[in-house]
Amino acid sequence: MVVLGIETSCDETAAAVVESGRRVLANVVATQFDLHAQYGGVVPELAARRHQENIVPVIRAALAEANIGLQDLSAIAATQGPGLIGALVIGFAVAKSLAYALQIPLVGVHHLHAHLAAPFLSPTPPRFPFIALVVSGGHTNLYYVTGFRQITLLGRSRDDAAGEAFDKVAKLLGLGYPGGIAIERLAAAGNPQAYPLPRPRIAGEPLTFSYSGLKTAVAVLLRQQPEILASQAAAADLAASFQAAVVDSLVSRALLAAQEHRCPRLVVAGGVAANARLRQVLQEQAQSAGLELFLPPLSLCTDNAAMVAALGYHLLQEGQPLDLRADVFARG
Ligand code: KG4
Ligand code: ZN
């Protein structure tokens, strides 16, 4: 079974071809960083229009890379939400049109569930059940997963997402957009203990995340000590201290969730899971806690359509294809 995946929920136009939910035959991602960098963040209207320009060339490129034609496709999987409505509509409408024209099933995929399906594209996929931490630009969600349709939310951020905090602090440090990778690079030369930053906790909600206080702490520090920005070494120390605070809060909650559910497996996915420090601390702590850790390769952490096709395949094994009148959703 050959599935074409389509992903347009934010600022990546992506198409991928995946065979039997496992073998990636093509994975094409057109980023829009150049377009949004000048505004310091994603402009939804511009994102939608760029998807409109790119979607057909990106699908064509994926089919060419997989060396197949439209007639070889068995099903179409497309991100249905959450995300930017104008952006989602482009990919979803194209997916519907293809499913209709080719008379093959369409499956709508939840973007965050697709992230946690990324490790199923590796030769050693996780077994159910597992704890999954999905850390992206819009979400910081902790799940207990017993099947592709059995995904229970255990905790999330009550304010900013972890990736959003990276992007906002990068802006404060004058690093531009997207912020995560820029902070990671700057932090590489810094001392993570240089600045004591808060690790916010919500009383009585040990699995809830919160990042707006951390971002504010960085903003206040920079207002009090603007000279930090003039020194590459001091800025690196601050970036490293911020990154360490985020990593601590993510890893501690993921491990706590695994402990609470007596679950021996942990999946960590989403754009922030590309962060080298997070990956290293996760590997160390998972090992000492006796947890089996599943981290997708970097190209499958940030937004892509291979994860969409993979989840779409598994959903189709277990359920009905989508009615072609289905709509996209912004939240959920
Ligand atoms: O999953 P993703 O590609 O898109 C969304 O679904 O939001 O995640 C994007 C987020 C951005 O906030 C970006 O700054 C962050 O992931 N990110 C990183 C790194 N690479 C991407 N954050 C920290 N370190 C990285 N290396
Ligand atoms: Zn994402």
Side-chain angles (χ1 to χ4, degrees):
M1 187 161 170
V2 179
V3 178
L4 174 70
I6 295 178
E7 155 63 42
T8 61
S9 66
C10 189
D11 59 345
E12 274 97 11
T13 316
V17 180
V18 174
E19 192 181 41
S20 307
R22 287 289 288 277
R23 216 159 75 84
V24 181
L25 303 182
N27 187 17
V28 178
V29 181
T31 64
Q32 304 182 358
F33 297 150
D34 56 327
L35 176 65
H36 303 291
Q38 56 189 311
Y39 304 101
V42 178
V43 183
E45 169 89 14
L46 297 181
R49 298 179 121 186
R50 183 59 73 83
H51 286 310
Q52 183 80 272
E53 289 170 22
N54 283 348
I55 187 70
V56 171
V58 163
I59 291 172
R60 214 179 252 150
L63 294 172
E65 195 175 305
N67 201 18
I68 61 165
L70 284 171
Q71 71 286 351
D72 299 314
L73 295 173
S74 328
I76 312 281
T79 303
Q80 195 172 1
L84 305 171
I85 286 294
L88 287 163
V89 160
I90 309 293
F92 206 61
V94 168
K96 279 184 180 185
S97 311
L98 282 173
Y100 176 62
L102 298 169
Q103 291 294 301
I104 56 177
L106 169 71
V107 57
V109 166
H110 188 290
H111 180 81
L112 299 168
H113 298 176
H115 272 300
L116 65 82
F120 288 85
L121 292 164
S122 94
T124 50
R127 279 190 294 122
F128 296 114
F130 55 79
I131 297 290
L133 173 64
V134 179
V135 255
S136 72
H139 297 84
T140 309
N141 287 5
L142 202 46
Y143 298 102
Y144 183 61
V145 186
T146 54
F148 289 109
R149 289 185 192 272
Q150 289 79 41
I151 300 173
T152 308
L153 185 68
L154 300 176
R156 60 190 176 111
S157 176
R158 57 144 52 182
D159 41 58
D160 294 349
E164 190 178 358
F166 267 98
D167 294 334
K168 286 180 174 171
V169 168
K171 215 168 177 178
L172 292 171
L173 291 170
L175 298 176
Y177 176 84
I181 185 73
I183 296 226
E184 177 178 329
R185 288 200 185 116
L186 180 61
N191 169 10
Q193 269 115 38
Y195 295 97
L197 292 170
R199 268 85 170 143
R201 285 182 190 285
I202 314 297
E205 296 181 35
L207 298 181
T208 297
F209 303 85
S210 170
Y211 293 105
S212 73
L214 177 58
K215 170 201 67 191
T216 305
V218 173
V220 169
L221 190 66
L222 286 172
R223 218 172 300 137
Q224 288 165 347
Q225 301 178 46
E227 65 277 9
I228 292 174
L229 289 177
S231 152
Q232 178 80 7
D237 283 347
L238 182 53
S241 303
F242 163 77
Q243 182 175 257
V246 176
V247 168
D248 269 7
S249 80
L250 292 173
V251 177
S252 61
R253 284 164 179 78
L255 264 64
L256 178 63
Q259 199 181 22
E260 279 187 354
H261 284 78
R262 293 193 169 74
C263 188
R265 285 172 290 276
L266 172 64
V267 164
V268 182
V272 182
N275 184 272
R277 161 108 189 175
L278 175 61
R279 296 172 84 88
Q280 187 197 338
V281 175
L282 277 169
Q283 262 145 6
E284 288 163 6
Q285 299 211 12
Q287 193 176 21
S288 55
L291 276 175
E292 204 180 346
L293 176 66
F294 298 85
L295 276 172
L298 301 199
S299 61
L300 296 177
C301 284
T302 46
D303 283 351
N304 66 87
M307 65 185 192
V308 173
L311 180 56
Y313 167 85
H314 292 290
L315 293 178
L316 274 174
Q317 301 299 301
E318 296 175 9
Q320 291 297 312
L322 208 59
D323 186 303
L324 291 185
R325 284 169 300 188
D327 197 6
V328 297
F329 56 91
R331 296 173 184 285

